[in-house]
Amino acid sequence: MKSPPRRWFPRLAGVLFVLAIGAALLVPPLMEKRTERRVRTLLLAVQEGLQRYHVKEELYPKRMMTGRELIQLLSDGGHLESPPANPWSGMPYTSASEDDWLRYRTDSLAETYELTVLFPGTEEVEFRLDSTKNQSLE
């Protein structure tokens, strides 16, 4: 004998509700990890481009820059194989985007560099790579 639709519908709604809550709890941390992996990939690509620039020019770029400016400089000079994707927007880093949390600095003699990634919307440093103390992301 078939059960009336009223009995299985609340159970189905309950199961779907529990699945939706589970997905809502799991998706943000997964997205955060994905963005972190993309940021690390970006930093390593830019670091490699900076090393190529340094070999050719014997100095690092001489001024402070945003990520977009630095990547444009490295791309134009042939120091990056291709412009990396912006980890926050998903767009190529050469296209205009407000989501640019990568910063570049150098010392007054352009002998060292520092790459920092800020937590989006803040001035707090999330990752730092430089040519002296923090040469890797470990």
Side-chain angles (χ1 to χ4, degrees), residues 2-72:
K2 256 186 163 178
S3 63
R6 288 184 215 143
R7 290 190 181 169
W8 62 267
F9 183 74
R11 288 182 185 161
L12 178 62
V15 168
L16 291 175
F17 179 74
V18 168
L19 289 175
I21 295 296
L25 293 174
L26 289 176
V27 168
L30 292 176
M31 295 294 287
E32 187 177 312
K33 283 292 187 188
R34 187 174 116 196
T35 301
E36 182 181 321
R37 280 192 310 274
R38 288 178 174 181
V39 167
R40 287 175 177 270
T41 300
L42 167 70
L43 279 171
L44 294 174
V46 172
Q47 184 182 42
E48 186 177 329
L50 278 170
Q51 295 304 327
R52 289 179 184 153
Y53 182 98
H54 187 264
V55 166
K56 183 177 180 187
E57 305 293 330
E58 297 182 6
L59 294 171
Y60 291 105
K62 294 181 181 180
R63 62 184 178 89
M64 292 177 27
M65 291 181 257
T66 65
R68 184 172 31 266
E69 294 168 332
L70 177 61
I71 288 170
Q72 189 68 51

Side-chain angles (χ1 to χ4, degrees), residues 92-128:
Y93 226 114
T94 54
S95 62
S97 173
E98 293 179 15
D99 298 326
D100 185 4
W101 306 109
L102 175 63
R103 302 292 181 264
Y104 167 81
R105 298 191 313 185
T106 188
D107 64 347
S108 60
L109 300 175
E111 294 176 340
T112 64
Y113 72 87
E114 178 183 62
L115 292 171
T116 55
V117 172
L118 307 175
F119 283 104
T122 71
E123 292 298 316
E124 185 181 348
V125 174
E126 181 177 12
F127 293 104
R128 181 184 319 272

